[in-house]
Amino acid sequence: MRKSILVNSDRDGTLNFDNNFYLGSQEDWKEKLEYMPGVFSGARILRGIPGLYHFIASNQSGVALAKLSLERAEEVTRHIAQEIAVQGGRIDGFFICPFVGREYADKAIGKGNVVNPNYVQDDHPDSKPKTGMLEKSAASMKRRLDEFQVYTIGDRLSDVQFGLNGGG
């Protein structure tokens, strides 16, 4: 039997431009949102592949750095998923990891940032390149991760390692 396909796309720097201002941290974030070239046409192509499920999986350190709330990070991601749908693509769901490790938090504090201690946890299972968000994507389809051909789309080494760690 042919396996279904599970694709997890990163958000910032992959679906939308990452302009280093924590998208969603400002009230006019919708006006500042810019999509990467080819996102909508690529999402339409993925939608046309039978047995393919497409999710967004995104580390959102801005939540831990108190730049924006978890609710706002989810709102931004939901908006991006809806815009992809309007443009003919499909996103089957999304998962966000707001957690950062202690070393990351300490460096941020050293640079004068505020850190929300509720989102500081070493080795959080959802933080890329760990596979928690991939596993949640599969589980949301009432399946196990090993029942899928796994692919990830991203702009960082952690996105590649995320896919490899998930068997992709």
Side-chain angles (χ1 to χ4, degrees):
M1 183 175 152
R2 186 171 178 225
K3 286 185 174 184
S4 296
I5 300 168
L6 181 65
V7 175
N8 273 243
S9 294
D10 181 47
R11 195 187 86 184
D12 302 324
T14 302
L15 298 176
N16 58 279
F17 281 98
D18 185 358
N19 293 316
N20 293 317
F21 57 76
Y22 300 101
L23 185 62
S25 63
Q26 300 161 341
E27 289 304 314
D28 63 346
W29 65 267
K30 286 183 184 177
E31 288 80 40
K32 294 181 178 188
L33 174 58
E34 296 179 70
Y35 293 94
M36 298 293 285
V39 164
F40 299 129
S41 60
R44 286 191 293 272
I45 290 167
L46 293 178
R47 181 182 185 145
I49 299 172
L52 185 143
Y53 301 95
H54 188 193
F55 287 82
I56 298 171
S58 183
N59 285 348
Q60 288 295 309
S61 63
V63 175
L65 298 181
K67 304 290 186 186
L68 70 159
S69 67
L70 179 58
E71 293 77 20
R72 176 58 65 86
E74 291 172 343
E75 176 187 357
V76 170
T77 308
R78 189 174 303 106
H79 178 82
I80 290 170
Q82 289 168 344
E83 186 60 28
I84 288 171
V86 165
Q87 298 295 325
R90 184 186 78 231
I91 299 293
D92 293 293
F94 67 85
F95 297 95
I96 289 173
C97 181
F99 294 92
V100 298
R102 170 56 47 204
E103 183 179 339
Y104 185 99
D106 289 344
K107 284 181 184 176
I109 291 168
K111 293 178 182 176
N113 288 294
V114 173
V115 174
N116 182 335
N118 295 326
Y119 294 110
V120 177
Q121 180 180 331
D122 284 333
D123 297 319
H124 191 280
D126 288 347
S127 184
K128 292 181 203 172
K130 296 202 178 290
T131 61
M133 290 188 285
L134 277 172
E135 292 166 12
K136 286 180 177 180
S137 297
S140 74
M141 306 310 299
K142 301 190 180 351
R143 312 262 295 277
R144 292 184 327 269
L145 187 56
D146 64 2
E147 296 178 60
F148 289 95
Q149 287 181 306
V150 175
Y151 296 87
T152 57
I153 303 170
D155 63 324
R156 296 181 182 206
L157 181 58
S158 62
D159 297 314
V160 174
Q161 194 62 53
F162 173 59
L164 293 173
N165 290 346

